[in-house]
Amino acid sequence: MSQTTVSYKDEHIYEFTPDLEPVYTAENGESLTIETIDSLDGTIQENTDILDAIPEEVNAATGPIAIEGAKPGDVLKVTIEDVRVNENRGRVVTAPGFGLLQDHDDIEHPLTRITPVQNDSIEFEGLNVEIKPVIGTIGVAPATESYTTLVPHDHGGNLDTTDMTGGTTAYFPIFQEGAMLAMGDSKAAMSDGEMCGTGSEIGTDIDVTLEVVNDPPVSLERPLVETENEWKTIASAETMETAVELANRDMVELLKREHDFEATEAYMFSSLVGGLEISQVVDPLVTARDAVPKEYLSNPF
Ligand code: CA
């Protein structure tokens, strides 16, 4: 059975706004393939192609895709079946004013390293790195504010979270009719933290199934992911302290409900299992998550 492909060539956005118009409307439960271009729009193809500055438009997100029946207060369930790289090279770059070590004299800005794809790996300076794709930017139309695709927030966006990959189910709060999902900014590989400001940026084909959870029993304020073994809350904020506070607070609410705990007991339990993880430390807001193994938390929806 063939499924519809929505490509960045059809439509893509550089800003998540409250009033997005869909390029495609999916049925509730429909499976789609989403084609994405690399976060730098194909401008970096050789080591001599460098970034003097972060371009005004980055992280082209394919979409927006409306989902029938999605209304504010519902939850969008995105089952990510597979993420495949669709070109023969990725690229890692530094750029002035960007990245964790941007002020260190011995770290060169800008610099580009092309990472050729060889079977299941990319190659960096003679070293092979297994391809583990990551969808860097994925989100829905926000409530009132607009956010460029460089910014992560409660709607998702530039989350740069390694769990956004095949086998994960991602959940987003729905703020607008139709939800208006868009995604792009994939990497062939990326570390937690994304310290230099990029992973191996690359185009991908992403298989997803889109479902609406109508009138969910839990109100979701920020993205949540279900991986093979864990549930993880995801939060973005100006500081890492605030991001981890929000992620932990969201997890406390889930643990309270699951185990009939008081808030303090849920808080204490969150300090016993799973734990905090860094998504990225380089975007305008930083992103963190709080993980709890599935044996202690069931599907809240
Ligand atoms: Ca990104």
Side-chain angles (χ1 to χ4, degrees), residues 181-198:
L181 177 72
M183 68 187 76
D185 175 34
S186 294
K187 297 94 175 53
M190 191 193 93
S191 68
D192 281 328
E194 201 188 16
M195 285 72 83
C196 90
T198 69

Side-chain angles (χ1 to χ4, degrees), residues 255-269:
L255 288 169
K256 268 170 64 181
R257 183 177 173 277
E258 172 89 14
H259 298 289
D260 223 2
F261 282 152
E262 295 298 324
T264 311
E265 294 167 331
Y267 176 51
M268 293 164 104
F269 190 71

Side-chain angles (χ1 to χ4, degrees), residues 39 58-59 98 135-137 149-150 157-161 184-187 190 194 197-199 201 280 282-283:
S39 61
V58 291
N59 300 341
F98 199 63
I135 306 167
T137 297
T149 44
L150 192 61
N158 194 13
L159 296 170
D160 287 322
T161 292
D185 175 34
S186 294
K187 297 94 175 53
M190 191 193 93
E194 201 188 16
T198 69
E201 309 294 301
Q280 59 79 22
V282 294
D283 296 327

Side-chain angles (χ1 to χ4, degrees), residues 198-245:
T198 69
S200 171
E201 309 294 301
I202 201 162
T204 52
D205 295 324
I206 304 166
D207 294 336
V208 293
T209 298
L210 308 177
E211 294 166 84
V212 178
V213 183
N214 290 119
D215 306 314
V218 177
S219 75
L220 197 63
E221 290 182 48
R222 281 173 279 275
L224 176 71
V225 292
E226 177 186 8
T227 67
E228 186 185 354
N229 298 313
E230 293 173 306
W231 287 90
K232 303 185 186 187
T233 56
I234 302 176
S236 303
E238 284 193 13
T239 66
M240 188 52 70
E241 286 79 3
T242 305
V244 295
E245 183 181 339

Side-chain angles (χ1 to χ4, degrees), residues 11-23 61-66 139-142 145-147 149 155 176-182:
E11 190 66 81
H12 56 270
I13 58 171
Y14 295 101
E15 189 170 39
F16 287 92
T17 69
D19 57 353
L20 293 170
E21 292 293 328
V23 61
T62 301
I65 296 162
V140 296
E145 302 285 315
S146 294
Y147 303 93
T149 44
H155 68 292
Q176 305 293 344
E177 297 284 330
M180 305 298 167
L181 177 72

